[in-house]
Amino acid sequence: MSKVAIFASGSGSNAENIVNHLKGRLKSSDFHFFTNKPDAYVNERARKLNIQLTLFSKNEFYNSDKILKILINGNFDLIVLAGFLWLMPLNIVQAFNGRIINIHPALLPKYGGKGMYGKRVHEAVVANNEIESGITIHFVDENYDEGKVIKQEHCAVLPSDTAEDVERKIHDLEFKHFPKVVEELLWPR
Ligand code: GAR
């Protein structure tokens, strides 16, 4: 049996896609969602999927052991950041070293770091006339977007592409590859 913690600050479409992909191997009680945003759509998805959700404040995250304790007591095998926008605190990074992964919607080290998330990344890619972009799935350390890369997948960016076009291509790559990486980490072949 495996248990998966998923952190998300936004829509949570990747979180839901991972749950759906692992449906045959895990139950909804094997997942736990975490969010810092009470109004984000991931809250609704948790309800719909019957997955436990913990909402936390910045103070609880950085100045208490609340989330660390839930993660340790829950015996989570893997922590997945799926559109989670806060830096993981050191206490969690150290306790789960090598068991936290993040997805970033660009080819790191390009377009990474604090403030580079979601649509901002695709707007910068288009503004710089890049001919390709992609996704990076990587282990998480104490810095933004710097841990060891697990997988990168590329897509072409055409001169006519808008940020929304790039976002769609990235979304497709994320949907295709992220759940497989999660599965491979949980049950290595
Ligand atoms: C995803 O594109 C993910 O790569 C990005 O946020 C989106 C979340 O979408 N993450 C970052 O930008 C992290 N720096 P979702 O909420 O629909 O899964």
Side-chain angles (χ1 to χ4, degrees), residues 10-15 82-85 102-105 116-118 145 174:
S11 153
S13 72
N14 279 284
F84 181 62
L85 302 184
N102 178 47
I103 189 155
H104 188 76
M116 264 298 170
Y117 59 85
D145 303 328
E174 293 185 332

Side-chain angles (χ1 to χ4, degrees), residues 128-130:
N128 288 339
N129 300 311
E130 297 283 0

Side-chain angles (χ1 to χ4, degrees), residues 8-24:
S9 305
S11 153
S13 72
N14 279 284
E16 178 165 359
N17 187 42
I18 290 167
V19 171
N20 287 337
H21 181 83
L22 297 176
K23 224 187 257 166

Side-chain angles (χ1 to χ4, degrees), residues 8-16 42 45 81-85 102-106 111-113 115-119 121-122 135-136 144-145 167 170-171 174-175 178:
S9 305
S11 153
S13 72
N14 279 284
E16 178 165 359
V42 67
R45 290 190 203 267
L81 311 188
F84 181 62
L85 302 184
N102 178 47
I103 189 155
H104 188 76
Y111 303 103
M116 264 298 170
Y117 59 85
K119 201 166 250 173
V121 175
H122 313 307
I135 61 167
T136 304
Y144 274 111
D145 303 328
E167 187 174 34
I170 295 297
H171 194 247
E174 293 185 332
F175 260 50
F178 201 17

Side-chain angles (χ1 to χ4, degrees), residues 139-178:
F139 288 108
V140 169
D141 63 15
E142 64 277 21
N143 301 313
Y144 274 111
D145 303 328
E146 284 186 15
K148 183 170 175 279
V149 171
I150 303 166
K151 191 180 194 68
Q152 288 193 309
E153 292 290 333
H154 300 233
C155 63
V157 177
L158 306 176
S160 57
D161 277 347
T162 61
E164 288 73 27
D165 294 326
V166 178
E167 187 174 34
R168 262 189 298 277
K169 293 180 188 183
I170 295 297
H171 194 247
D172 289 350
L173 287 178
E174 293 185 332
F175 260 50
K176 182 165 175 211
H177 296 285
F178 201 17

